[in-house]
Amino acid sequence: MASMTTAAGRSLSHGRIDKRQAILAAAFTVFARRGYEQAGVQEVAEEAGVAKPTVYNHMSDKETLFRETLIETAESVAAENLAIIDRLRQPVEDLPAVLEDVAYRLLRTCCGERSRALRWLTYAQVARFPDLIEAVQSRTTSRIRDAFADRIAWLTMSGQLRPCDPTLAAEQLLALITGPLEGRGRLGTRKVTTAELRTVSDAAVVTFLRAYEADRA
Amino acid sequence: MASMTTAAGRSLSHGRIDKRQAILAAAFTVFARRGYEQAGVQEVAEEAGVAKPTVYNHMSDKETLFRETLIETAESVAAENLAIIDRLRQPVEDLPAVLEDVAYRLLRTCCGERSRALRWLTYAQVARFPDLIEAVQSRTTSRIRDAFADRIAWLTMSGQLRPCDPTLAAEQLLALITGPLEGRGRLGTRKVTTAELRTVSDAAVVTFLRAYEADRA
DNA sequence: ATCCTGTTGAACGCATGAGTTCAATTTGGC
DNA sequence: GCCAAATTGAACTCATGCGTTCAACAGGAT
């Protein structure tokens, strides 16, 4: 009877520190470093400070380990992004400034180690685990898009944005934020300067507002 | 001394049909189907209708085989996209209509088998071959962006678009075209309807023109 | 103290697949 | 027809790594 876990992730069997979390964290580190196939279960165990059979005590397979790791990371990344968008819940007086701030933070997160590695690992295993794309995106991109759409809907109702399809507007704003850097290979391996992030996110907001700002009458 | 090849890809040693091309084509098929690590050289050989040692006669490594395959495909995909953008070289009378046509074709290409597989394979092997991102993107995304920027510069000079940074505008237009479907996981495994492509590409052009069209005075 | 449960390290079996070897055969050029 | 280069199939070597086994061990509960 391997460790069943509560919603909080704490082990039920005895009060021991849950090694499950350590294993998942280590697994993500190693998978991100080497990729799925190149990563060895042995290496994950070492990174977690644990013996190999212990890993198999918690996860039946390398595949299971991979899936749980990606899901876990997806939830974490999503939470980070949703927190940023929540900035738009408080009433906004200076819309461009607030949007630029949100856009900048989102872009910074999307360029971060975790987000990049998550995207890579997910797409890398399309051939082997096609369902993972759906599993990860429904937890990240879709939720972020919907949260943004909610904020845009409110902004529209308060007259700060022109009437539009909020979901489409959210998709386009997100595309404007993350697209340019992707095209420059900067969501790839190269370093990104803070200035470049600001330039791109500001430009995204400017273009978005030109297209979606309510006519000033 | 294995076969040196001319620019046309024809084998110099005797007039034999160049098996190199067959091998590269088969390799892309197999890599796209299985991914780099899962694809076997044996399987590539079978797909190409060739014996395994023959593959090693043309490519020293599995790694070399992979690199050459990706580069070859990148050139091919780029050519396809550049041809679409060339549509903008002839003088345009109805800018929205032409842009929508170009956007739709680009999106259709980007959702195609070859493009998707190329992206996947490239990003999938970031951990092992980090330089491939640069190699592929410099042949595809960068060139497409630059070609688009050229057209946009001309359109600006002819007064059909407002003054802007053509490269940034190109990046943003491309982002608007391909971003939304990516967010929906539609550049993933799911099927995409023609209608959906049209909706997204039209919306991209509408938003782009709202932001970049010259003021009608 | 003594159970029970989970951990440890080391070794193992086993499958997979890269890259090679080689002798036999095909191919196209001359 | 003849040669040289390329191709073929089969078998082989060798490294890698998953998943398992097991005997010894640790640590909390009663």
Side-chain angles (χ1 to χ4, degrees):
Chain A
M1 192 81 347
S3 64
M4 301 290 296
T5 58
T6 68
R10 199 97 160 48
S11 175
L12 288 182
S13 53
H14 304 97
R16 291 204 195 157
I17 308 147
D18 207 2
K19 306 210 161 171
R20 186 191 165 87
Q21 286 305 109
I23 291 172
L24 286 179
F28 184 74
T29 301
V30 175
F31 282 137
R33 183 162 57 220
R34 304 250 191 261
Y36 174 72
E37 327 256 7
Q38 281 295 302
V41 177
Q42 182 71 253
E43 192 181 357
V44 171
E46 284 164 10
E47 180 84 23
V50 143
K52 185 161 72 143
T54 304
V55 174
Y56 283 100
N57 266 1
H58 292 263
M59 313 288 180
S60 57
D61 266 314
K62 188 186 180 185
E63 174 175 341
T64 304
L65 176 60
F66 185 65
R67 301 188 104 95
E68 305 255 353
T69 301
L70 284 209
I71 299 299
E72 158 104 354
T73 307
E75 299 282 6
S76 159
V77 165
E80 206 174 339
N81 283 321
L82 291 176
I84 293 172
I85 295 178
D86 262 14
R87 177 96 164 68
L88 285 167
R89 290 198 109 94
Q90 27 188 321
V92 297
E93 63 295 351
D94 185 355
L95 182 56
V98 174
L99 266 190
E100 273 168 14
D101 183 57
V102 169
Y104 171 74
R105 288 170 198 254
L106 278 181
L107 186 51
R108 224 165 59 90
T109 302
C110 287
C111 292
E113 282 297 326
R114 293 175 67 80
S115 293
R116 273 174 15 205
L118 178 62
R119 265 193 310 275
W120 288 348
L121 287 171
T122 308
Y123 280 104
Q125 298 306 319
V126 163
R128 210 199 265 251
F129 314 125
D131 58 292
L132 271 184
I133 287 198
E134 166 69 19
V136 168
Q137 283 202 338
S138 70
R139 271 157 238 261
T140 54
T141 317
S142 301
R143 272 159 65 187
I144 293 164
R145 186 232 302 136
D146 292 345
F148 233 138
D150 287 347
R151 294 308 101 210
I152 288 174
W154 278 95
L155 290 169
T156 300
M157 287 179 54
S158 73
Q160 306 198 59
L161 292 181
R162 79 163 69 195
C164 63
D165 172 356
T167 299
L168 176 62
E171 281 175 342
Q172 290 190 334
L173 177 50
L174 283 170
L176 286 170
I177 293 171
T178 61
L181 275 195
E182 192 134 6
R184 293 181 206 177
R186 289 308 212 289
L187 293 190
T189 40
R190 286 194 250 178
K191 286 227 196 68
V192 191
T193 69
T194 303
E196 196 172 9
L197 290 184
R198 271 243 93 94
T199 304
V200 170
S201 57
D202 285 1
V205 171
V206 166
T207 295
F208 175 79
L209 285 180
R210 277 226 182 94
Y212 281 99
E213 204 168 23
D215 300 324
R216 325 157 193 274
Chain B
M1 196 74 352
S3 64
M4 300 292 295
T5 58
T6 68
R10 200 100 159 46
S11 174
L12 288 182
S13 52
H14 306 95
R16 291 204 194 157
I17 308 145
D18 208 2
K19 307 211 160 170
R20 186 191 166 89
Q21 286 305 111
I23 290 172
L24 286 178
F28 183 75
T29 302
V30 174
F31 282 137
R33 182 161 58 218
R34 303 250 191 262
Y36 175 71
E37 328 255 7
Q38 282 294 302
V41 177
Q42 182 72 253
E43 193 180 356
V44 172
E46 283 164 10
E47 180 84 23
V50 143
K52 185 160 72 143
T54 303
V55 174
Y56 283 100
N57 265 1
H58 292 263
M59 312 287 179
S60 58
D61 266 314
K62 187 186 181 185
E63 174 176 341
T64 303
L65 175 61
F66 186 65
R67 301 188 103 97
E68 305 255 353
T69 301
L70 284 209
I71 299 299
E72 158 105 352
T73 307
E75 299 282 7
S76 159
V77 165
E80 206 175 340
N81 282 322
L82 291 176
I84 293 171
I85 296 178
D86 263 14
R87 177 96 164 67
L88 285 167
R89 291 198 108 94
Q90 26 190 319
V92 296
E93 63 295 352
D94 185 355
L95 182 56
V98 174
L99 266 190
E100 274 169 14
D101 183 57
V102 169
Y104 172 74
R105 289 171 197 253
L106 278 181
L107 187 52
R108 226 166 58 90
T109 301
C110 288
C111 291
E113 282 297 325
R114 293 176 66 80
S115 294
R116 272 173 17 204
L118 179 62
R119 265 193 310 275
W120 287 348
L121 287 171
T122 307
Y123 279 104
Q125 297 306 319
V126 163
R128 209 198 267 251
F129 314 125
D131 58 293
L132 270 185
I133 287 198
E134 166 69 19
V136 168
Q137 282 202 339
S138 70
R139 272 157 237 261
T140 54
T141 317
S142 300
R143 272 159 64 186
I144 293 164
R145 186 232 302 135
D146 292 344
F148 233 138
D150 287 347
R151 294 308 101 211
I152 288 174
W154 277 95
L155 290 169
T156 301
M157 286 180 55
S158 73
Q160 306 198 60
L161 292 182
R162 79 163 68 196
C164 64
D165 173 357
T167 299
L168 176 63
E171 280 175 342
Q172 290 190 334
L173 177 50
L174 283 170
L176 286 170
I177 293 171
T178 60
L181 275 194
E182 191 134 7
R184 293 182 205 176
R186 289 309 212 288
L187 294 188
T189 40
R190 286 193 251 179
K191 286 226 196 69
V192 190
T193 68
T194 303
E196 196 172 9
L197 289 185
R198 270 245 92 94
T199 304
V200 169
S201 56
D202 285 1
V205 171
V206 166
T207 296
F208 176 78
L209 285 181
R210 277 225 183 95
Y212 281 99
E213 203 168 24
D215 301 325
R216 326 157 194 272

